[in-house]
Amino acid sequence: MDEFQRIDAYWRAANYLSVGQIYLLDNPLLEEPLRPEHIKPRLLGHWGTTPGLTFCFAHLNRIITERDQDMIYIAGPGHGGPAAVAHAWLEGTYSRRYPQVSQDAAGMRRLFRQFSFPGGIPSHVAPEVPGSIHEGGELGYSLAHAFGAAFDNPHLVVACVVGDGEAETGPLAASWHSNKFLDVARDGVVLPILHLNGYKIANPTVLARIPEAELVALMQGYGYRPHVVAGDDPALMHPLMARTLDTVFEEIAAYKAGDADRLPMIVLRTPKGWTGPARVDGVPVEGTWRAHQVPLSTVRENPEHLAMLEGWLRSYRPEELFDAAGRPVAAVLDTVPAGTRRMSASPHANGGQLLRPLVLPDFRDYAVKVEAPAARSSEPTRVLGGFLRDVITANPDTFRLLGPDETASNRLSAVFEATDRAWSAQTLPTDEHLGPGGRVMEVLSEHLCQGWLEGYLLTGRHGLFNCYEAFIHIVDAMFNQHAKWLEASQKIGWRAPVASLNYLLSSHVWRQDHNGFSHQDPGFLDVVMNKKASVVRVYLPPDANTLLSTADHCLRSRDYVNVIVAGKQPVLDLFPMDEAVAHCARGLGLVEWACTDAGAEPDVVLACAGDVPTLETLAAAALLREHLPELRVRVVNVVDLMRLQPSSEHPHGMPDAEFDTVFTTDKPIIFNFHGYPWLIHRLTYRRHGHANLHVRGYKEEGTTTTPFDMAMLNDIDRFHLVMDVIDRVPHLAGRAAHLRQRMADARLHARAHTREFGEDPVEIRDRTWPR
Amino acid sequence: MDEFQRIDAYWRAANYLSVGQIYLLDNPLLEEPLRPEHIKPRLLGHWGTTPGLTFCFAHLNRIITERDQDMIYIAGPGHGGPAAVAHAWLEGTYSRRYPQVSQDAAGMRRLFRQFSFPGGIPSHVAPEVPGSIHEGGELGYSLAHAFGAAFDNPHLVVACVVGDGEAETGPLAASWHSNKFLDVARDGVVLPILHLNGYKIANPTVLARIPEAELVALMQGYGYRPHVVAGDDPALMHPLMARTLDTVFEEIAAYKAGDADRLPMIVLRTPKGWTGPARVDGVPVEGTWRAHQVPLSTVRENPEHLAMLEGWLRSYRPEELFDAAGRPVAAVLDTVPAGTRRMSASPHANGGQLLRPLVLPDFRDYAVKVEAPAARSSEPTRVLGGFLRDVITANPDTFRLLGPDETASNRLSAVFEATDRAWSAQTLPTDEHLGPGGRVMEVLSEHLCQGWLEGYLLTGRHGLFNCYEAFIHIVDAMFNQHAKWLEASQKIGWRAPVASLNYLLSSHVWRQDHNGFSHQDPGFLDVVMNKKASVVRVYLPPDANTLLSTADHCLRSRDYVNVIVAGKQPVLDLFPMDEAVAHCARGLGLVEWACTDAGAEPDVVLACAGDVPTLETLAAAALLREHLPELRVRVVNVVDLMRLQPSSEHPHGMPDAEFDTVFTTDKPIIFNFHGYPWLIHRLTYRRHGHANLHVRGYKEEGTTTTPFDMAMLNDIDRFHLVMDVIDRVPHLAGRAAHLRQRMADARLHARAHTREFGEDPVEIRDRTWPR
């Protein structure tokens, strides 16, 4: 058996196992003629992409073995789940992770039966599949994940099959340019394999239907050296693919040696559903969109389909591939690498195994000094920047800061004292802080930031994504998929926890001085809260020191998505560091110095979450102290939004008794919230005091205007809060009519001043409030 | 004055007006030396991109005039708001729309003062700007909007400036391939102008820093003929741009004549902040990232900056551009087109002006016959497909159906009896329903579908976007921006209402048989509900006839975003058409035949929204009728989710008294919901009966499994609903323990059967329930 025959044997075995997964309940080795009862009652799965995926696996295995190459595999068309499962089973990894699915006939029967079966495994390349860091569901993120995996893994090659359907998506189209951010010295290599099988679900694909010269120009324009491997005859395709891969890996070696400045990529053009039924019921299937899912759809009922299925399975000559006990024969396994060189067993694809804790400087060392609360101001993200700078220095190979060209705008610029922005394209003298080894990744694509970071985290490293708050919605769908990956992974014993995905959302809804309405959307929190409590965390630190404490906590956590919302504009320093730590640990608590209830039952609770709402709430409390000194006001600040939920709903949830103690069960609560107000209702509707809760927040009013005008437009301003108190505390209704009118007048004055002079009134800016 | 001098005069005027908007409170014509009090207290806006935008305006105006070309302009870098405002003012359109901003010195003063000023106008190219269909906020959608505008506008050229920052985004990267969907006969032309000014906020841009040969290859790979216009000397750049545009429009003419198969595009390379201050405070500004926003930042305080600003403004020689009364002189206006040829006055950019109502067949003609409710099944989206087919036929130039390769999967295939999928690339014999004039747009990019549709709607046409429910989250951010556009437009008197953006979400969370967990996310509704009640509508028709009625209603509506969630799998036909119409008009109502409360006060209310939850609710009601015949059960179905809100919150909101009559104020309500359960709480927390409300819905449990198993995993199944009733109706607690156990056993049985046989139990599939 020559080399190509052995590769072909592996390929046939993987294809056989793939078809078996889609169709067979029993008789896995075809030891008897196929009968309807051997067939699954529901035929579910995707055949079309599968033979292309197995073809790549087979050939890459030879390269790995010959070159002792560290490699992982990302299947962009991850709906071809049978391929990845077959691969892991052939490599022995599947049976190691799932001993009941042994590498023999009984295990093969289970392998087939469990696929896309209730109580079994998903139909896609899900977290359950060893060797994967990439779910095959929503499309478009494979290449970004691949680059994320390659960063800071100088000896790794990430083979990434890009489906031609997926290639039509925006995120994938943008991902090709990731090569401008790859450092030849510090990073590994991504080998894109653009798999043109010609069709999506029901349509041809764009890249399969443009002239080849145009396709080649496109790939050259993206900065790659394209190699085309096209055909449908395995006897020709095996040597062609093998020779091409040899060339490609020579080119990769030259690139790594500094002798070439472009990475190669492969265009693989093979028929959709290759080696499957050519025609079914009189219409072509192989090579068409009809091969996308299940080419033979009525096998149980239709004897002709049953016979075709048997012929199809037998065309792989299983008797040459598996011994009588169902074990793959030596020829099949000949090209399979050993140990962790097996792509299905790579620790990079179970990144938690490689994860080392970050070396974190003591965040307390970066504290702003708070001799008296609310006496001075800091820019929280600027303070955080100093901490992140030293995190970067202390973790030169395992931490990256990502952002869509907003790191400086978000005032994290201190990081550039320690590092550059990653950049391997041309630089000019006017550029600042650009270099191939930079630890800050900036590209104007939230999709790329998210995808890179996901790939980086899932291969065992750490990171933080800083973003304008409104535009994080661009990656809502990616967040959803990553959260689902974590949810599923937590249920799988063998997946080691990975570092959390940390978002820092700044330039938020209340401070969009340059930009206005399009930049005002705090709704990402609502998206986040739809995912499982075991995965999501949301923090709204109100000042610099609480932000430092929160960030430290998030960077130490595992398997979560942490969302931190923090402003970049100056806000008052509220908590000395010790108090900040305690406040963050509690998650919510009283702002003692602003309270006038002296430990007794208050008349009203002013609650707040978020820096600007907290500022306005404290200002309102000061106004109340000044004008209604006898009123007992309790001020509560919420850092950890999850504390508001019942403890039955979230691990951070506050027990009812404790919640009742803080918020009372019968006093009015005026809650000033950073985001859309109903989120607070959603979190608290089961609380005893909920009927007394009145929430202010962003109600979709905004434009390019001053900060205080923004607050007024949405009724979260201090004056309106005082009016809310007067309206809701029963004994004030009559007594405080005069004060209420003064507050209303103050709003009119502020509005008029703002419109005349284009700035907030002086007394609001300079004299925040008497303390 | 020669032609280039006149173009230059226009350009200088537009630049002068742009700088004035960013800086000046007063002294608009520089009639006296600039003093600090002439300067705005807050300097806000974006200069960097502005001179490039005005340069393009100036040159395109000449083309329009010379060729009598119908053209609109899309400013991808729409944060360069001053440019578009200046253009509209010079063309006289601004003063027409806003008479107080007259085309004279007083108007110029207002023009300057209002920009980015409280009570004034936004800093971006917002809906307030005449001539725009494209907000300059979130980036990446300009080219998709441009193609959307060009579809079915055969004589229109859409000039689209693509910023090089924006070009890094995924949606923009994918949009280049829109040319494969353009029909030379039926559609207009898009002229992309890739504006390389080299920098984003703080970083260089990728496309400005790759070798020019690579950039040219990239554009050729995208299928265009690139023309490079590069330089910084206006004396050279004017003739170069003019000559290039002449060539480009000859090429466009050849393309329209069928003599060329590629559209041209322009690469325009000019310095960021061109013609602005070269150096400020010792560092280079023009041509660098420092020119992004406000090049001179302390003009009021710093006399040197003040002098530089005056020099900068005077460098445009305003005395040559405006007469003593502040009116633009003839030379400036020489290249300005007339009437609706002015891009700022194009009716295409105020599409509601061109909007004609759809010719709609009577949707009742497509009704499924319902002789008895719940006796037979239909696939709702398949039924809708017939209606949409005839909508397409009746509106051959003004309606498009869009989807990310899911139209057939979503079972709307009847449309292909009337039309093709739009496709201008290569076709093969195995393809079906592809052709350049197709009315169905399928590309595997939700971003493109959304962007095309937005462009199509905003230029006065109609459409519907069908999508897998989970993946509509991909365009959350685009939805947000479009909703904000509509919110803002509704406040602007002169913007005529446009057709609503209609989403049909199918292949939903409860029926992901092939795909599993990654395809299960009903959370788009939560995103939608954050936008203003004046804009958003959500419908969950439970069967085919209610879907028809809902779709008809949505297609007739204006200025909304309508979200319809409807399954493609067979569901029971519940409502004869007359009842369906009445039920949809009410928005929520009793399912009379399933109720056993006989018009009296019920013991329990079973509410439901969504097709699968409704099916399970009706099945639970049947079980209760069978096993607890004395129990008075009321069954309520909700089609229009907005009915649940208080009438104070949404125009569709049901008054409290009515709500109380339907839902009671004191009886348990078991609400079976399609989506995440807390959305129902969010909508109803102010209702009197809210404390009695118990919501079932998707709680993020799922995998590839059977439909009934999915229901069980999330406790929305009939058996669990019966258990919920028993647990919550006080007098049942003791009496129905036996039935409760039977229900629990039925669940165990169903689960065991499913896991053994891979299908839902026969009795659930075949005997849905006794009626």
Side-chain angles (χ1 to χ4, degrees):
Chain A
M1 226 181 197
D2 70 13
E3 184 162 56
F4 298 134
Q5 288 172 324
R6 289 192 294 268
I7 293 174
D8 188 64
Y10 181 97
W11 185 46
R12 286 186 285 124
N15 289 342
Y16 180 85
L17 293 169
S18 297
V19 182
Q21 288 177 76
I22 294 173
Y23 284 99
L24 297 186
L25 266 186
D26 211 338
N27 189 19
L29 285 165
L30 295 184
E31 291 170 312
E32 52 179 319
L34 214 47
R35 296 199 307 274
E37 58 268 34
H38 299 149
I39 307 299
K40 296 185 181 185
R42 297 163 80 237
L43 298 175
L44 304 171
H46 297 79
W47 165 248
T49 187
T50 296
L53 292 175
T54 52
F55 185 76
C56 295
F57 274 123
H59 280 269
L60 291 169
N61 268 353
R62 178 188 67 89
I63 290 285
I64 292 169
T65 305
E66 283 189 11
R67 295 181 164 256
D68 191 28
Q69 174 66 54
D70 200 7
M71 196 183 305
I72 63 170
Y73 187 96
I74 290 183
H79 51 280
V85 172
H87 176 73
W89 190 81
L90 285 171
E91 293 198 327
T93 323
Y94 207 90
S95 305
R96 162 116 198 279
R97 294 296 184 201
Y98 306 99
Q100 73 281 19
V101 187
S102 45
Q103 211 183 28
D104 55 21
M108 194 191 292
R109 181 176 175 277
R110 284 203 191 86
L111 186 81
F112 290 179
R113 192 182 179 88
Q114 71 175 9
F115 175 80
S116 226
F117 202 84
I121 65 168
S123 63
H124 293 181
V125 186
E128 287 84 347
V129 181
S132 175
I133 60 163
H134 178 79
E135 166 86 34
E138 196 170 287
L139 294 169
Y141 316 131
S142 61
L143 201 50
H145 286 167
F147 276 92
F151 294 139
D152 295 317
N153 268 326
H155 306 297
L156 184 67
V157 169
V158 184
C160 179
V161 179
V162 176
D164 50 352
E166 174 180 28
E168 293 177 13
T169 67
L172 199 293
S175 297
W176 295 106
H177 288 298
S178 301
N179 51 6
K180 282 80 185 175
F181 301 85
L182 202 71
D183 179 13
V184 62
R186 303 174 64 137
D187 299 330
V189 159
V190 173
L191 172 60
I193 302 172
L194 175 62
H195 184 208
L196 303 180
N197 69 25
Y199 289 92
K200 304 179 293 240
I201 302 178
N203 276 286
T205 60
V206 168
L207 294 189
R209 297 295 179 87
I210 61 175
E212 189 155 300
E214 229 168 87
L215 181 65
V216 166
L218 185 65
M219 293 298 134
Q220 290 171 336
Y222 282 134
Y224 298 86
R225 291 172 59 99
H227 299 262
V228 179
V229 176
D232 59 7
D233 181 349
L236 301 175
M237 286 293 281
H238 284 309
L240 181 57
M241 183 69 168
R243 278 199 310 271
T244 303
L245 278 175
D246 285 337
T247 305
V248 156
F249 277 83
E250 287 307 314
E251 290 178 2
I252 288 173
Y255 167 86
K256 292 296 286 183
D259 298 332
D261 59 356
R262 288 178 153 214
L263 279 169
M265 62 81 60
I266 294 173
V267 175
L268 174 65
R269 195 188 290 267
T270 64
K272 186 152 188 155
W274 194 16
T275 73
R279 299 178 68 86
V280 180
D281 302 334
V283 293
V285 171
E286 187 190 19
T288 82
W289 46 274
R290 294 188 189 88
H292 182 69
Q293 289 184 345
V294 180
L296 300 160
S297 55
T298 55
V299 182
R300 266 196 167 191
E301 302 77 12
N302 181 337
E304 192 186 342
H305 281 202
L306 185 71
M308 288 179 75
L309 174 61
E310 181 160 354
W312 176 14
L313 282 162
R314 291 200 189 280
S315 74
Y316 300 119
R317 307 193 297 280
E319 65 284 2
E320 296 177 14
L321 308 172
F322 307 102
D323 66 19
R327 285 185 290 265
V329 301
V332 166
L333 300 182
D334 186 69
T335 54
V336 169
T340 57
R341 282 286 183 261
R342 292 170 298 173
M343 291 189 288
S344 63
S346 171
H348 296 293
N350 184 10
Q353 288 185 331
L354 301 174
L355 186 68
R356 286 171 286 137
L358 282 175
V359 178
L360 289 174
D362 189 340
F363 65 94
R364 293 170 191 79
D365 296 345
Y366 305 83
V368 296
K369 195 159 179 179
V370 183
E371 290 176 347
R376 310 176 83 172
S377 292
S378 304
E379 296 155 292
T381 54
R382 195 180 296 283
V383 174
L384 181 68
F387 176 64
L388 292 177
R389 172 196 62 218
D390 296 344
V391 172
I392 287 171
T393 303
N395 302 275
D397 300 316
T398 55
F399 178 84
R400 295 207 181 211
L401 175 64
L402 300 99
D405 189 29
E406 293 160 5
T407 301
S409 172
N410 287 331
R411 306 196 181 167
L412 299 172
S413 311
V415 298
F416 299 118
E417 297 164 15
T419 190
D420 290 332
R421 299 166 172 108
W423 187 260
S424 300
Q426 184 197 13
T427 56
L428 296 178
T430 43
D431 296 336
E432 290 191 349
H433 308 305
L434 292 184
R439 315 307 299 161
V440 179
M441 317 271 314
E442 297 225 90
V443 61
L444 211 164
S445 166
E446 289 78 2
H447 292 114
L448 276 187
C449 292
Q450 173 85 17
W452 289 344
L453 180 56
E454 288 177 2
Y456 197 66
L457 297 176
L458 292 174
T459 49
R461 284 79 63 79
H462 307 261
L464 187 146
F465 179 2
N466 83 93
C467 189
Y468 283 8
E469 180 186 52
F471 300 148
I472 199 67
H473 271 300
I474 290 170
V475 295
D476 277 3
M478 297 182 78
F479 154 78
N480 281 336
Q481 297 300 335
H482 187 70
K484 281 177 178 279
W485 177 279
L486 293 176
E487 290 171 21
S489 293
Q490 287 176 350
K491 296 182 186 169
I492 300 169
W494 57 265
R495 284 221 175 249
V498 295
S500 300
L501 197 161
N502 301 304
Y503 293 102
L504 173 67
L505 306 186
S506 195
S507 305
H508 61 53
V509 53
W510 301 109
R511 295 303 302 265
Q512 278 302 335
D513 304 14
H514 275 268
N515 295 299
F517 197 39
S518 68
H519 285 50
Q520 292 162 356
D521 194 312
F524 185 61
L525 304 186
D526 299 84
V527 174
V528 168
M529 299 297 291
N530 279 344
K531 291 292 165 279
K532 282 222 168 159
S534 61
V535 167
V536 294
R537 303 288 182 269
V538 175
Y539 302 96
L540 295 132
D543 73 353
N545 285 344
T546 49
L547 173 60
L548 282 169
S549 175
T550 301
D552 178 79
H553 175 77
C554 292
L555 291 175
R556 293 174 190 277
S557 72
R558 299 287 181 267
D559 267 0
Y560 297 153
V561 175
N562 296 307
V563 183
I564 309 173
V565 184
K568 66 184 184 184
Q569 304 284 353
V571 294
L572 292 168
D573 303 323
L574 302 176
F575 296 97
M577 189 42 107
D578 286 351
E579 289 180 28
V581 172
H583 186 56
C584 291
R586 281 191 301 265
L588 69 79
L590 274 51
V591 184
E592 298 280 359
W593 55 265
C595 296
T596 53
D597 58 339
E601 193 73 343
D603 297 311
V604 64
V605 177
L606 296 185
C608 50
D611 55 3
V612 168
T614 297
L615 172 72
E616 292 303 319
T617 298
L618 292 171
L623 288 166
L624 290 169
R625 287 198 298 278
E626 182 181 348
H627 297 290
L628 294 172
E630 75 288 0
L631 189 73
R632 286 167 303 176
V633 177
R634 179 176 292 171
V635 178
V636 177
N637 178 260
V638 181
V639 177
D640 175 353
L641 210 57
M642 303 303 178
R643 293 291 277 162
L644 296 176
Q645 287 183 288
S647 49
S648 57
E649 297 295 313
H650 195 283
H652 290 195
M654 194 173 240
D656 269 342
E658 209 179 320
F659 189 92
D660 294 347
T661 305
V662 174
F663 288 97
T664 80
T665 57
D666 57 351
K667 296 299 185 296
I669 309 162
I670 315 291
F671 199 122
N672 213 22
F673 181 49
H674 173 86
Y676 292 103
W678 30 85
L679 179 56
I680 299 301
H681 287 294
R682 165 176 158 182
L683 296 173
T684 59
Y685 66 83
R686 293 284 181 216
R687 299 294 194 178
H688 299 125
H690 179 257
N692 314 311
L693 178 65
H694 187 72
V695 186
R696 295 287 173 192
Y698 183 65
K699 51 182 193 180
E700 200 70 10
E701 293 288 344
T703 181
T704 318
T705 190
T706 67
F708 193 72
D709 198 37
M710 269 302 296
M712 285 200 296
L713 283 170
N714 293 279
D715 297 339
I716 73 156
D717 61 283
R718 57 196 68 182
F719 304 131
H720 208 284
L721 294 176
V722 172
M723 291 159 66
D724 286 337
V725 169
I726 293 169
D727 293 345
R728 277 167 184 80
V729 175
H731 73 266
L732 289 182
R735 287 205 305 132
H738 178 67
L739 177 61
R740 195 184 190 290
Q741 188 58 49
R742 277 186 63 184
M743 295 295 107
D745 291 345
R747 302 185 88 225
L748 290 175
H749 168 77
R751 173 68 51 85
H753 177 98
T754 302
R755 299 222 164 178
E756 182 170 357
F757 300 102
E759 59 186 359
D760 289 331
V762 173
E763 59 265 38
I764 291 171
R765 278 190 290 118
D766 295 347
R767 287 190 8 195
T768 52
W769 64 80
R771 286 193 46 255
Chain B
M1 224 180 196
D2 71 11
E3 183 162 58
F4 299 134
Q5 287 172 322
R6 287 192 295 268
I7 293 173
D8 188 63
Y10 181 96
W11 185 45
R12 286 186 284 125
N15 289 342
Y16 180 85
L17 293 169
S18 297
V19 181
Q21 289 177 75
I22 294 174
Y23 284 98
L24 297 186
L25 266 185
D26 212 339
N27 190 18
L29 285 166
L30 296 184
E31 292 170 309
E32 52 181 319
L34 214 47
R35 295 198 308 271
E37 60 266 34
H38 298 148
I39 307 299
K40 296 184 182 187
R42 299 162 79 235
L43 297 175
L44 303 171
H46 296 81
W47 164 249
T49 188
T50 296
L53 293 175
T54 51
F55 185 77
C56 294
F57 273 122
H59 280 268
L60 290 168
N61 268 353
R62 179 189 65 92
I63 290 285
I64 292 170
T65 304
E66 282 189 13
R67 295 182 164 257
D68 191 27
Q69 175 66 55
D70 200 5
M71 196 183 305
I72 62 170
Y73 187 96
I74 290 183
H79 50 282
V85 172
H87 176 74
W89 191 81
L90 284 171
E91 292 198 328
T93 324
Y94 206 91
S95 306
R96 161 116 198 281
R97 294 298 184 199
Y98 305 99
Q100 73 280 19
V101 187
S102 45
Q103 210 182 29
D104 55 22
M108 195 192 291
R109 182 175 175 278
R110 285 203 189 86
L111 186 82
F112 290 179
R113 191 182 180 90
Q114 70 175 11
F115 175 79
S116 226
F117 201 84
I121 65 167
S123 64
H124 292 181
V125 186
E128 286 83 348
V129 182
S132 175
I133 61 163
H134 178 80
E135 167 85 35
E138 198 171 285
L139 294 169
Y141 315 132
S142 62
L143 202 49
H145 285 167
F147 277 92
F151 294 140
D152 295 317
N153 269 325
H155 305 298
L156 184 67
V157 169
V158 184
C160 179
V161 179
V162 176
D164 50 351
E166 173 180 29
E168 292 177 14
T169 67
L172 199 293
S175 296
W176 294 106
H177 287 297
S178 301
N179 51 6
K180 282 79 185 176
F181 301 86
L182 202 70
D183 179 14
V184 62
R186 303 174 65 135
D187 299 330
V189 160
V190 173
L191 172 61
I193 303 172
L194 175 62
H195 184 208
L196 303 180
N197 69 26
Y199 289 92
K200 303 177 295 235
I201 302 179
N203 277 284
T205 60
V206 168
L207 294 189
R209 297 295 179 87
I210 61 176
E212 188 156 301
E214 228 168 89
L215 181 64
V216 165
L218 185 65
M219 292 300 134
Q220 289 170 338
Y222 282 134
Y224 297 86
R225 292 172 60 97
H227 300 263
V228 179
V229 176
D232 59 6
D233 180 348
L236 300 175
M237 286 293 281
H238 285 308
L240 182 57
M241 184 68 168
R243 278 199 310 270
T244 303
L245 278 174
D246 286 337
T247 306
V248 156
F249 277 82
E250 287 306 313
E251 290 177 4
I252 288 173
Y255 167 86
K256 291 296 287 183
D259 298 331
D261 59 358
R262 287 179 154 215
L263 280 168
M265 61 81 60
I266 294 172
V267 176
L268 174 65
R269 196 188 289 267
T270 63
K272 186 152 188 156
W274 194 16
T275 71
R279 299 178 68 87
V280 179
D281 300 334
V283 294
V285 172
E286 187 190 18
T288 82
W289 47 271
R290 292 189 191 87
H292 182 69
Q293 289 182 346
V294 179
L296 301 160
S297 55
T298 55
V299 183
R300 266 195 168 191
E301 302 78 13
N302 181 338
E304 191 186 342
H305 281 202
L306 184 71
M308 288 179 75
L309 173 63
E310 181 161 353
W312 175 14
L313 281 163
R314 292 199 189 279
S315 75
Y316 300 119
R317 307 193 298 281
E319 65 284 2
E320 294 176 16
L321 307 172
F322 307 101
D323 65 19
R327 283 185 291 266
V329 302
V332 166
L333 299 183
D334 186 68
T335 54
V336 169
T340 57
R341 282 287 185 260
R342 293 170 297 173
M343 292 190 287
S344 63
S346 172
H348 297 292
N350 184 10
Q353 289 186 330
L354 300 174
L355 186 67
R356 287 171 286 138
L358 281 174
V359 178
L360 288 174
D362 189 339
F363 65 95
R364 296 170 189 81
D365 296 345
Y366 304 83
V368 296
K369 194 158 182 181
V370 183
E371 290 175 348
R376 310 177 84 171
S377 291
S378 304
E379 297 155 291
T381 53
R382 195 180 296 282
V383 173
L384 180 68
F387 176 65
L388 292 177
R389 173 197 59 218
D390 296 342
V391 173
I392 287 171
T393 303
N395 302 275
D397 300 317
T398 54
F399 177 84
R400 296 207 180 209
L401 175 64
L402 299 98
D405 190 29
E406 293 160 4
T407 302
S409 172
N410 287 331
R411 305 197 183 168
L412 299 172
S413 310
V415 297
F416 298 119
E417 297 163 16
T419 190
D420 290 332
R421 298 166 172 108
W423 187 260
S424 300
Q426 183 196 15
T427 57
L428 296 177
T430 44
D431 295 337
E432 290 191 349
H433 307 305
L434 291 184
R439 315 306 300 160
V440 179
M441 316 272 315
E442 297 225 89
V443 61
L444 212 163
S445 167
E446 288 77 1
H447 293 113
L448 276 188
C449 292
Q450 174 85 17
W452 289 344
L453 180 56
E454 288 176 3
Y456 197 66
L457 297 176
L458 292 174
T459 48
R461 284 78 63 79
H462 306 261
L464 186 146
F465 178 2
N466 83 94
C467 189
Y468 284 7
E469 180 188 49
F471 300 148
I472 198 68
H473 271 301
I474 291 170
V475 295
D476 277 5
M478 297 182 78
F479 154 78
N480 281 337
Q481 297 300 336
H482 186 71
K484 281 176 179 279
W485 178 279
L486 294 176
E487 290 171 21
S489 293
Q490 287 177 349
K491 295 182 186 169
I492 300 169
W494 56 266
R495 283 220 176 251
V498 295
S500 299
L501 197 160
N502 301 304
Y503 293 103
L504 173 68
L505 306 185
S506 194
S507 305
H508 61 54
V509 54
W510 300 109
R511 295 303 301 267
Q512 278 302 333
D513 304 14
H514 275 268
N515 296 299
F517 196 41
S518 68
H519 285 51
Q520 293 162 355
D521 194 312
F524 185 62
L525 304 187
D526 299 83
V527 174
V528 168
M529 299 296 290
N530 279 344
K531 291 292 164 280
K532 282 223 169 159
S534 61
V535 167
V536 294
R537 303 288 183 270
V538 176
Y539 301 96
L540 295 133
D543 72 353
N545 286 345
T546 48
L547 174 58
L548 282 169
S549 175
T550 301
D552 177 79
H553 176 77
C554 291
L555 291 175
R556 294 174 189 277
S557 72
R558 298 288 179 268
D559 267 0
Y560 297 153
V561 175
N562 297 307
V563 183
I564 309 172
V565 184
K568 66 186 185 184
Q569 304 284 352
V571 294
L572 292 168
D573 303 324
L574 301 176
F575 296 96
M577 189 42 106
D578 286 351
E579 290 180 27
V581 172
H583 186 56
C584 291
R586 279 191 302 266
L588 70 79
L590 273 53
V591 185
E592 297 279 2
W593 55 264
C595 296
T596 53
D597 59 339
E601 194 72 343
D603 297 312
V604 63
V605 176
L606 296 185
C608 50
D611 56 2
V612 168
T614 297
L615 173 72
E616 291 303 318
T617 298
L618 292 171
L623 287 166
L624 290 169
R625 288 198 298 277
E626 182 180 349
H627 297 290
L628 294 172
E630 75 289 1
L631 190 72
R632 284 166 305 176
V633 177
R634 179 177 293 172
V635 179
V636 177
N637 178 261
V638 180
V639 177
D640 174 354
L641 211 57
M642 303 303 177
R643 293 291 276 161
L644 296 175
Q645 286 182 289
S647 49
S648 57
E649 297 295 314
H650 195 282
H652 290 195
M654 193 173 240
D656 270 341
E658 210 179 320
F659 189 92
D660 293 347
T661 304
V662 174
F663 288 97
T664 81
T665 57
D666 58 352
K667 298 298 185 295
I669 309 162
I670 316 291
F671 199 122
N672 213 22
F673 181 49
H674 173 86
Y676 292 103
W678 30 84
L679 179 56
I680 300 300
H681 287 294
R682 165 176 159 182
L683 296 172
T684 59
Y685 67 84
R686 291 285 180 216
R687 299 293 194 178
H688 299 124
H690 179 258
N692 314 309
L693 178 65
H694 187 72
V695 186
R696 295 288 173 194
Y698 183 64
K699 50 182 194 179
E700 200 69 10
E701 293 288 345
T703 182
T704 319
T705 190
T706 67
F708 194 72
D709 200 37
M710 270 302 295
M712 285 200 297
L713 283 170
N714 293 280
D715 298 338
I716 73 154
D717 62 282
R718 57 195 68 182
F719 305 131
H720 208 284
L721 294 177
V722 171
M723 292 161 65
D724 285 338
V725 169
I726 293 169
D727 292 346
R728 277 166 184 81
V729 175
H731 72 266
L732 290 182
R735 287 206 302 132
H738 178 66
L739 177 61
R740 195 184 190 291
Q741 188 57 49
R742 277 186 62 184
M743 295 295 107
D745 290 346
R747 302 184 90 227
L748 290 175
H749 168 77
R751 172 68 50 86
H753 177 98
T754 302
R755 299 222 165 178
E756 183 170 358
F757 299 103
E759 58 186 358
D760 288 332
V762 173
E763 59 266 37
I764 291 170
R765 279 191 290 117
D766 295 347
R767 287 192 8 198
T768 52
W769 66 80
R771 286 193 47 256

